[in-house]
């Protein structure tokens, strides 16, 4: 299906995913390696509801599906996104009237549905995970309405893949009550474990049912952030949440976390599958991915050189180009501050780079709210390859870029995702950027240079003639604040 699609520098790309439960249009835009969701609309059509019993698509779901696809076709035309890349998964490929649905869609909407098999679905979902986690290693588990797929990922590649009938719609038709269902799920899961191996330290969870369970886990634990992408759960936390769901009223839970009724209806069955998954594969950790088949379709169209780029840095560069007063200054600010960060680990270095690129992107906000605005933007932004603690670290650094103190910050509940050393490091980075911004000329190195002497606990600032003119009272105060946060003595050399 991709033979005629060029490997290109992507800008705006539209994808339609026709699943067993939902039909979604996503339009990607922005930085090609870390695209923003320009448009994202979902309809819970339920095409695959009761298909396991009837062998046919749900008639009501078919009509909801056509209504959604007609709308999506018109929207895409209005956004000048043609042709859309459209895929259909388990429901359409397995229903006896699936080909009729496919032909009618093309006849009435002009959209051509590519019906993919289970292994291809697994591959695309795994590629979606790789878009968000370039260094992902483990097992990708994508649950839909009528199927569940597994795929290995490592070294930027998708390995062995397998599909199974463990979708909640299909499980609704299993006979034998709770015991029969449990036995059925365990048997299939044991077969999957035998095929895929049980050596995977991490399982990446893809699919709406997994995200719903993760959101409920957040609610149970009073987790301070509601961003689902890269949310981590231990096997024990999964077990506790599944038990909590089983003991709770689903209607009450749904109102607490704003999950749709149709999605919540499938959560108990999905919970049983998740419990069996953890029991069979014994991972050390489960990580939620908001990226799946749709993002995998975008990844499919990327050149290999583009795939190798860091999604976080690409997103930060794009944001700087769009929103900063002096695009390009972020890289120069990073170079100016590099003496402080000469020996940091690569994972910290990329956060420093990203922070410098983003340091001036909240300038349009009211001065009283810039600190909180940039913290909120980063912690909730659609940025990949960024764990929750890293989000908070980056947000806190940017908060201190605009504000010397974090006391009484409304964002304080999120600070608990960091330890004291990480909080201190974020403060130092923020105050370093706050000081470096005082030299916002073409290149701050034309005004000053830094030299960090950790053995002497000193930070030296050498000024050029231009720097002496820029080094006013506020700059002196900010340099002293940086040195105080670092626990070093300031040394200014004219």
């Amino acid at each position: 299906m991709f033979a005629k699609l060029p490997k290109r520098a992507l800008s705006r790309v539209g994808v339609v995913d026709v699943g067993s439960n939902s039909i979604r249009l996503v339009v990607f835009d922005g930085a090609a390696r870390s695209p923003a969701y320009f448009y994202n609309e979902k309809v819970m059509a339920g095409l695959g509801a009761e298909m396991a019993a009837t062998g046919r698509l749900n008639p009501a779901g078919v009509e909801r599906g056509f209504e959604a696809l007609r709308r999506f076709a018109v929207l895409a035309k209005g956004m000048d996104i043609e042709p859309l890349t459209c895929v259909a998964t388990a429901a359409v490929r397995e229903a006896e009237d699936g080909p009729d649905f496919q032909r009618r869609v093309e006849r009435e909407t002009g959209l051509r549905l590519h019906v993919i098999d289970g292994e291809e679905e697994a591959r695309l979902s795994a590629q979606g995970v790789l878009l968000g986690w370039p260094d992902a290693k483990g097992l990708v588990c994508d649950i839909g309405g009528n199927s569940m797929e597994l795929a290995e990922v490592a070294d930027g590649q998708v390995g062995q893949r397998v599909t199974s009938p463990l979708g909640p719609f299909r499980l609704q038709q299993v006979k034998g009550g709770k015991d029969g269902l449990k036995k059925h799920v365990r048997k299939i899961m044991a077969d999957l474990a035998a095929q895929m191996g049980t050596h995977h330290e991490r399982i990446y969870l893809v699919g709406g049912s997994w995200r719903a369970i993760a959101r409920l886990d957040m609610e149970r634990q009073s987790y301070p952030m509601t961003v689902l992408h890269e949310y981590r759960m231990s096997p024990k936390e999964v077990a506790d949440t599944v038990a909590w769901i089983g003991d709770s009223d689903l209607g009450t839970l749904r109102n607490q976390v704003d999950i749709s009724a149709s999605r919540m209806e499938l959560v108990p069955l999905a919970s049983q599958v998740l419990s069996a998954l953890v029991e069979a594969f014994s991972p050390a950790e489960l990580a939620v991915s908001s990226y799946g088949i749709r993002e995998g379709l975008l990844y499919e169209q990327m050149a290999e050189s583009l795939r190798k780029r860091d999604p976080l840095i690409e997103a930060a560069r794009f944001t700087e180009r769009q929103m900063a007063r002096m695009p390009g200054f972020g890289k120069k600010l990073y170079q100016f501050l590099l003496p402080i960060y000469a020996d940091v680990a690569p994972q910290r270095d990329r956060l420093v780079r990203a922070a410098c690129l983003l340091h001036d992107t909240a300038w349009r906000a009211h001065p009283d709210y810039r600190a909180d605005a940039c913290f909120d933007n980063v912690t909730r932004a659609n940025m990949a390859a960024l764990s929750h603690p890293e989000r908070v670290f980056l947000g806190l650094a940017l908060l201190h870029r605009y504000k010397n103190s974090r006391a009484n910050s409304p964002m304080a509940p999120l600070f608990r995702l960091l330890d004291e050393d990480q909080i201190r490091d974020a403060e130092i980075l923020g105050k370093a950027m706050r000081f470096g911004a005082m030299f916002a000329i073409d290149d701050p190195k034309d005004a000053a240079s830094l030299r960090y002497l950790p053995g002497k606990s000193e930070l030296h600032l050498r000024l050029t003639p231009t720097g002496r003119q820029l080094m006013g009272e506020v700059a002196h105060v900010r340099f002293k604040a940086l040195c105080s946060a670092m626990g070093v003595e300031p040394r200014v050399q004219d």
Side-chain angles (χ1 to χ4, degrees):
M1 66 180 284
F2 299 104
K4 296 181 181 179
L5 292 174
K7 304 291 184 183
R8 62 189 187 275
L10 306 175
S11 53
R12 190 169 293 175
V13 178
V15 172
V16 175
D17 177 9
V18 180
S20 299
N21 196 20
S22 65
I23 299 176
R24 187 187 293 264
L25 165 67
V26 175
V27 178
F28 299 100
D29 199 1
R33 185 58 187 84
S34 186
Y37 292 90
F38 178 80
Y39 193 85
N40 191 344
E41 183 175 330
K42 176 181 68 175
V43 173
M44 301 299 288
L47 280 175
E50 300 182 3
M51 193 191 78
T54 66
R56 299 179 64 83
L57 296 173
N58 175 23
V62 166
E63 296 310 314
R64 285 194 297 270
F66 273 113
E67 183 178 336
L69 291 169
R70 289 189 196 100
R71 172 176 164 77
F72 292 167
V74 173
L75 285 171
K77 186 175 182 179
M79 289 184 272
D80 195 25
I81 302 168
E82 296 183 282
L84 283 172
T85 302
C86 307
V87 298
T89 54
V92 178
R93 75 170 172 255
E94 295 175 9
E96 61 182 64
D97 57 342
D100 293 337
F101 178 82
Q102 188 179 4
R103 286 189 289 268
R104 183 182 166 192
V105 167
E106 185 167 5
R107 183 174 64 251
E108 296 187 15
T109 71
L111 300 179
R112 184 183 177 192
L113 289 186
H114 298 274
V115 181
I116 58 176
D117 63 27
E119 287 197 10
E120 178 68 355
E121 185 176 354
R123 187 183 72 86
L124 290 173
S125 293
Q127 287 194 162
V129 169
L130 288 173
L131 185 140
W133 276 287
D135 59 349
K137 182 178 181 180
L139 194 66
V140 175
C141 179
D142 182 0
I143 192 169
N146 274 290
S147 67
M148 186 190 82
E149 282 70 41
L150 297 175
E152 289 181 303
V153 287
D155 302 320
Q157 302 294 322
V158 181
Q160 184 179 359
R161 308 179 296 277
V162 66
T163 186
S164 74
L166 288 180
F169 282 153
R170 194 177 293 274
L171 295 178
Q172 287 175 336
Q173 310 303 320
V174 175
K175 308 298 183 183
K178 291 183 178 180
D179 290 340
L181 178 63
K182 188 174 184 179
K183 183 178 179 181
H184 175 79
V185 171
R186 280 184 169 179
K187 182 180 183 303
I188 294 175
M189 199 67 74
D191 291 340
L192 294 174
Q195 293 180 67
M196 302 298 291
T198 57
H199 57 283
H200 310 284
E201 289 292 308
R202 179 182 293 168
I203 295 179
Y204 299 87
L205 300 175
V206 176
S209 292
W210 295 154
R211 291 193 294 272
I213 294 171
R215 181 65 187 88
L216 290 166
D217 184 72
M218 289 177 169
E219 181 71 13
R220 181 184 66 82
Q221 300 195 69
S222 299
Y223 190 73
M225 186 184 292
T226 56
V227 174
L228 286 166
H229 188 63
E230 291 222 20
Y231 181 63
R232 312 293 176 89
M233 296 183 289
S234 69
K236 184 181 185 306
E237 287 168 335
V238 169
D240 290 345
T241 294
V242 168
W244 179 67
I245 292 171
D247 293 337
S248 302
D249 177 73
L250 294 183
T252 301
L253 292 182
R254 185 171 71 84
N255 291 332
Q256 289 175 347
V257 297
D258 194 28
I259 295 174
S260 69
S262 57
R263 177 68 68 195
M264 184 61 80
E265 183 184 355
L266 302 180
V267 163
L269 288 169
S271 296
Q272 291 194 45
V273 177
L274 185 58
S275 293
L277 179 73
V278 171
E279 181 181 334
F281 286 90
S282 300
E285 179 182 65
L286 298 98
V288 178
S289 174
S290 294
Y291 297 173
I293 191 170
R294 295 172 292 276
E295 290 74 17
L297 287 164
L298 182 64
Y299 191 83
E300 182 77 22
Q301 299 178 52
M302 288 182 182
E304 188 63 28
S305 59
L306 185 58
R307 292 178 180 182
K308 292 179 179 178
R309 295 183 187 176
D310 186 329
L312 171 62
I313 301 302
E314 291 299 298
R317 283 175 178 158
F318 180 80
T319 303
E320 184 194 36
R321 288 197 301 270
Q322 296 292 106
M323 301 176 66
R325 283 174 289 192
M326 296 176 61
F329 183 77
K331 181 178 180 180
K332 297 170 184 176
L333 176 61
Y334 168 78
Q335 294 292 338
F336 175 69
L337 300 178
L338 195 55
I340 301 175
Y341 295 101
D343 298 321
V344 298
Q347 281 298 103
R348 178 55 53 84
D349 178 72
R350 64 193 293 269
L351 295 181
V352 175
R353 288 174 181 266
C356 289
L357 291 167
L358 296 169
H359 89 283
D360 192 42
T361 55
W363 68 274
R364 289 184 182 275
H366 189 282
D368 292 347
Y369 297 101
R370 282 178 188 162
D372 292 338
C374 61
F375 184 99
D376 195 55
N377 287 344
V378 168
T379 52
R380 300 176 190 275
N382 176 51
M383 288 185 174
L386 196 63
S387 70
H388 284 194
E390 288 173 334
R391 282 178 181 271
V392 177
F393 179 93
L394 195 52
L396 186 55
L398 291 167
L399 182 151
H400 279 293
R401 152 65 179 96
Y402 285 108
K403 193 173 182 181
N404 197 49
S405 172
R406 61 181 172 276
N408 302 315
S409 170
M411 309 302 175
L414 278 75
F415 298 167
R416 71 179 175 91
L417 296 184
L418 303 178
D419 61 32
E420 289 302 317
D421 287 342
Q422 291 169 326
I423 289 174
R424 175 179 173 274
D425 289 348
E427 179 180 353
I428 290 170
L429 175 55
K431 290 183 175 179
M433 294 188 295
R434 185 171 172 82
F435 168 65
M438 298 301 296
F439 301 110
I441 55 177
D442 182 59
D443 192 331
K445 285 189 174 181
D446 294 336
S449 61
L450 292 169
R451 186 181 178 206
Y452 178 37
L453 302 175
K456 292 185 177 182
S457 295
E458 294 177 354
L459 182 63
H460 291 224
L461 174 67
R462 182 180 294 276
L463 298 169
T464 68
T466 299
R468 285 194 291 273
Q469 297 178 64
L470 292 171
M471 193 69 181
E473 180 181 348
V474 174
H476 274 288
V477 170
R478 291 186 179 185
F479 184 59
K480 289 180 180 179
L482 168 60
C483 292
S484 176
M486 293 177 66
V488 300
E489 289 296 320
R491 296 285 186 264
V492 180
Q493 300 170 338
D494 292 332

